[in-house]
């Protein structure tokens, strides 16, 4: 499979440096299903795990956004990053499973990462390719269901709403 070959050729080997989970620009979109899995794994509530996507749309007297991102600590790092290790590794979101790779249509993008160009072909290229395809399928489904929720809900003037695949949620 061509995707697997491209991943193998990126020569990616995770260095467990935590850079991908660090910094104030680190926004990891999570679906409601991923939030539910993380809640179960971490014993936390959805509001303790995720916050609204930070780009708000102001339309007349209504404010809304689409989706949620993982919460970060005051240092900007992912809340699940401890000693450069993910504390919910087995339950991590699609974005985390596939980093530094992403699909843009049928084209693969490889983000800048110190683990790339290691000199050895990427191990687990087949698994990463499968995860990328699963991620794309999940993101496409989330997009369509969120669009459906947005189109079917009325917005009350003065409200602040978060739309996702499971509905329209009032934001406090």
């Amino acid at each position: 499979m061509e995707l697997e070959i491209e991943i193998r050729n990126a020569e990616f080997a995770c260095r467990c440096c935590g850079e991908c989970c660090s910094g104030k620009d680190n926004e990891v979109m999570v679906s409601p299903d991923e939030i539910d899995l993380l809640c179960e794994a971490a014993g936390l509530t959805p509001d303790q795990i995720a916050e609204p996507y930070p780009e708000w749309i102001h339309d007349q007297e209504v404010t809304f956004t689409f989706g949620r991102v993982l919460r970060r600590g005051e240092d900007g790092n992912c809340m699940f990053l401890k000693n450069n290790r993910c504390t919910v590794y087995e339950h991590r979101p699609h974005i985390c499973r596939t980093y530094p790779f992403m699909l843009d249509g049928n084209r693969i993008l490889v983000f800048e990462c110190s683990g790339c160009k290691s000199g050895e072909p990427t191990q687990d290229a087949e698994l990463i390719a499968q995860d990328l395809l699963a991620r794309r399928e999940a993101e496409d489904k989330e997009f369509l269901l969120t669009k459906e929720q947005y189109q079917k809900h009325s917005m009350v003037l003065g409200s602040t709403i978060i739309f996702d695949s499971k509905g329209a949620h009032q934001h406090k």
Side-chain angles (χ1 to χ4, degrees):
M1 176 195 283
E2 187 175 322
L3 180 59
E4 190 179 326
I5 292 168
E6 289 184 62
I7 292 168
R8 192 168 276 115
N9 290 341
E11 299 177 354
F12 173 69
C14 183
R15 298 177 338 110
C16 298
C17 64
E19 289 176 16
C20 56
C21 307
S22 306
K24 299 213 183 290
D25 295 330
N26 181 23
E27 291 173 355
V28 175
M29 291 287 299
V30 283
S31 71
D33 291 341
E34 290 173 318
I35 293 170
D36 290 345
L37 278 172
L38 290 168
C39 285
E40 190 175 314
L44 299 171
T45 66
D47 286 339
Q48 290 174 308
I49 289 175
E51 60 192 8
Y53 184 73
E55 292 184 20
W56 293 90
I57 299 165
H58 305 283
D59 183 19
Q60 296 172 14
E61 294 196 30
V62 176
T63 302
F64 59 96
T65 192
F66 295 100
R68 299 177 194 271
V69 295
L70 285 180
R71 286 198 178 276
R72 293 161 285 184
E74 288 182 22
D75 57 3
N77 295 346
C78 175
M79 66 178 286
F80 296 115
L81 182 67
K82 303 288 185 252
N83 299 319
N84 288 339
R85 296 281 191 237
C86 178
T87 60
V88 292
Y89 187 81
E90 292 301 316
H91 306 281
R92 67 197 188 281
H94 285 294
I95 289 175
C96 305
R97 289 181 185 281
T98 58
Y99 189 83
F101 305 101
M102 182 178 129
L103 288 177
D104 181 16
N106 290 325
R107 194 178 71 147
I108 190 166
L109 302 177
V110 183
F111 292 93
E112 207 170 296
C113 174
S114 60
C116 288
K117 299 299 175 200
S118 66
E120 296 290 324
T122 305
Q123 291 187 5
D124 299 326
E126 182 179 359
L127 180 59
I128 294 169
Q130 291 170 0
D131 283 343
L132 276 170
L133 294 171
R135 173 183 171 185
R136 179 172 59 191
E137 184 178 328
E139 287 175 347
D140 288 351
K141 177 182 173 189
E142 181 68 19
F143 172 80
L144 291 173
L145 291 172
T146 299
K147 180 180 174 184
E148 187 178 293
Q149 293 294 338
Y150 172 74
Q151 290 173 335
K152 79 177 189 181
H153 280 87
S154 300
M155 291 186 260
V156 177
L157 292 181
S159 62
T160 303
I161 302 169
I162 304 163
F163 287 101
D164 63 27
S165 61
K166 292 189 177 179
H169 314 276
Q170 281 287 100
H171 181 61
K172 304 166 193 158

